[in-house]
Amino acid sequence: MSDNVKKFIKFNYVLLYMKYHTAHIIFDNNFQWKDLEKIFPDLLHYFIEESRIEKTDSLNLNSIIEENMIDIKNNRKPEGFNREEKLRFYFNELDGKKQIIIIRDKAVPNEDIKNVSEKISKFLNSKKIKNILEFDKLYYIEFKKKKKW
């Protein structure tokens, strides 16, 4: 086996099992927050299920959905699910792009971020909400601010 083939295999193996700090589901330029109106409850339930977050009385999912739906119906950025749990799911605008950010509660990279965000991205695409998925963009933005590019 040539050195180039070995490097290619090693590189792809690393990508397959890579763990990330953050995931960014970036919506296309025509996206409006109100586009989430019909799917937000299902989206949040899907995130909770895929993240394996335990449904308890203290979670109070109905009030989280209600609070977010008020913003969505008024075409304002919703909060998402920003609770102290295994994963957080919140909405943001970075570099003028609307997006969902999925981040782990602890600063340690985790493969759940990759798995959950890929499923959320596919879910959104199945609902005709175009998006692209990127990883660890927050660290790039912080680095860029420090260097003042």
Side-chain angles (χ1 to χ4, degrees), residues 11-41:
F11 178 74
N12 284 312
Y13 178 80
V14 168
L15 283 180
L16 182 63
Y17 293 101
M18 189 170 259
K19 296 177 181 180
Y20 297 100
H21 290 89
T22 63
H24 305 261
I25 301 170
I26 304 169
F27 300 111
D28 75 352
N29 292 334
N30 297 325
F31 175 81
Q32 299 290 315
W33 294 117
K34 63 185 174 186
D35 295 344
L36 296 172
E37 189 171 354
K38 292 180 182 174
I39 68 156
F40 182 78

Side-chain angles (χ1 to χ4, degrees), residues 16-17 36 63 73 120 122-123 128 130 137 145:
L16 182 63
Y17 293 101
L36 296 172
S63 66
K73 286 178 181 179
I120 296 292
K122 286 178 185 174
F123 174 83
K128 308 284 189 260
K130 296 178 187 173
K137 194 171 179 183
K145 283 180 184 176

Side-chain angles (χ1 to χ4, degrees), residues 44-95:
L44 186 59
H45 282 287
Y46 190 60
F47 170 77
I48 300 290
E49 179 183 312
E50 292 299 324
S51 301
R52 297 183 304 277
I53 293 172
E54 208 173 303
K55 294 179 183 174
T56 63
D57 292 339
S58 64
L59 187 60
N60 203 352
L61 212 50
N62 288 335
S63 66
I64 294 169
I65 290 171
E66 251 179 63
E67 290 170 9
N68 280 280
M69 288 302 291
I70 290 169
D71 289 330
I72 290 169
K73 286 178 181 179
N74 291 306
N75 203 28
R76 293 189 308 249
K77 178 182 72 65
E79 179 183 346
F81 183 84
N82 196 5
R83 306 292 189 269
E84 288 187 26
E85 292 289 343
K86 188 165 127 180
L87 294 179
R88 295 175 185 221
F89 165 97
Y90 65 94
F91 297 90
N92 204 346
E93 287 190 46
L94 292 172
D95 296 334

Side-chain angles (χ1 to χ4, degrees), residues 139-149:
Y139 293 97
Y140 170 73
I141 290 166
E142 287 302 314
F143 178 76
K144 191 175 169 180
K145 283 180 184 176
K146 288 178 184 175
K147 292 290 183 182
K148 297 184 182 189
W149 289 355

Side-chain angles (χ1 to χ4, degrees), residues 98-142:
K98 295 176 174 110
Q99 60 184 289
I100 296 173
I101 297 177
I102 298 174
I103 191 166
R104 186 160 181 223
D105 197 29
K106 298 179 176 40
V108 180
N110 186 305
E111 67 185 40
D112 286 344
I113 288 176
K114 180 181 185 291
N115 298 335
V116 171
S117 59
E118 285 175 344
K119 290 176 181 178
I120 296 292
S121 177
K122 286 178 185 174
F123 174 83
L124 290 166
N125 281 324
S126 75
K127 302 297 183 185
K128 308 284 189 260
I129 297 180
K130 296 178 187 173
N131 67 84
I132 59 170
L133 181 58
E134 295 180 359
F135 295 96
D136 287 342
K137 194 171 179 183
L138 285 179
Y139 293 97
Y140 170 73
I141 290 166
E142 287 302 314

